[in-house]
Amino acid sequence: MKTIEIRELTREAFAPFGQVIEQDGAHNFPINAGKCTRFHDLANIETTGEKARPMISLLRGEPYPLPLELGMVERHPLGSQAFIPLSDATFLVVVAEETENGPAEPIAFRTAPGQGVNIGRNVWHGILTPLDKTSDFAVVDRGGEGVNLEEHFYQESFLVR
């Protein structure tokens, strides 16, 4: 089983797959008579297909221990998918580039507290993987008609650590 080392999540490293959602370094400005700061336009929400619409859901995920055996990735051909943590817990983000033979070898990132991600439309990625404790997330993705899930099972699993 091949080992995948977990990397630090940065905007630059994640750019081929989507956007990192975080306050640090984000364009911001005061609103509400200066009592609030708006961190503006942090992600590109994508929806396509019949009756497509953005939707917001809440998820509660149980933690996964490391090292983690990874045998599958998925993608959403009709829309992006954003995961925004509602606590300071960290989570694992697994993504893979597209090749002519399907998804490439996965890349793993660990979020810092407060970081979220928006995974672009049609980008291969792992499932939601909280690491330290049961964690709640706001999820912004696509609602509407049509099949918006494709799964790929690797011939050999990877060990993420």
Side-chain angles (χ1 to χ4, degrees):
M1 187 178 316
K2 184 164 185 181
T3 298
I4 304 295
E5 298 292 335
I6 299 172
R7 305 174 186 188
E8 174 187 4
L9 180 65
T10 65
R11 283 187 177 100
E12 297 76 24
F14 196 72
F17 310 104
Q19 301 85 41
V20 175
I21 300 170
E22 64 183 336
Q23 294 175 342
D24 290 347
H27 172 63
N28 66 84
F29 49 89
I31 61 172
N32 298 342
K35 297 282 189 184
C36 185
T37 301
R38 179 178 178 130
F39 297 90
H40 189 67
D41 198 13
L42 300 177
N44 180 26
I45 305 305
E46 301 171 90
T47 63
T48 189
E50 195 165 335
K51 298 184 181 177
R53 62 181 175 78
M55 67 178 189
I56 298 173
S57 303
L58 297 176
L59 300 180
R60 177 165 292 146
E62 295 183 16
Y64 287 79
L66 293 175
L68 173 73
E69 187 174 330
L70 175 76
M72 185 269 292
V73 289
E74 64 182 31
R75 67 180 175 182
H76 306 287
L78 301 178
S80 58
Q81 191 171 45
F83 295 94
I84 305 163
L86 299 178
S87 72
D88 284 342
T90 63
F91 62 105
L92 187 70
V93 180
V94 173
V95 289
E97 294 180 353
E98 174 71 21
T99 73
E100 60 186 36
N101 298 317
E105 182 176 294
I107 300 168
F109 298 97
R110 184 181 188 127
T111 64
Q115 282 182 318
V117 294
N118 182 54
I119 299 168
R121 182 174 69 87
N122 227 18
V123 171
W124 292 108
H125 61 89
I127 62 172
L128 179 63
T129 312
L131 292 175
D132 303 318
K133 61 184 178 181
T134 298
S135 301
D136 293 335
F137 295 83
V139 177
V140 181
D141 58 0
R142 180 211 180 264
E145 295 180 6
V147 177
N148 193 29
L149 176 65
E150 183 179 340
E151 297 177 329
H152 174 83
F153 293 87
Y154 288 104
Q155 288 184 348
E156 185 177 334
S157 293
F158 297 89
L159 186 65
V160 180
R161 62 181 187 99

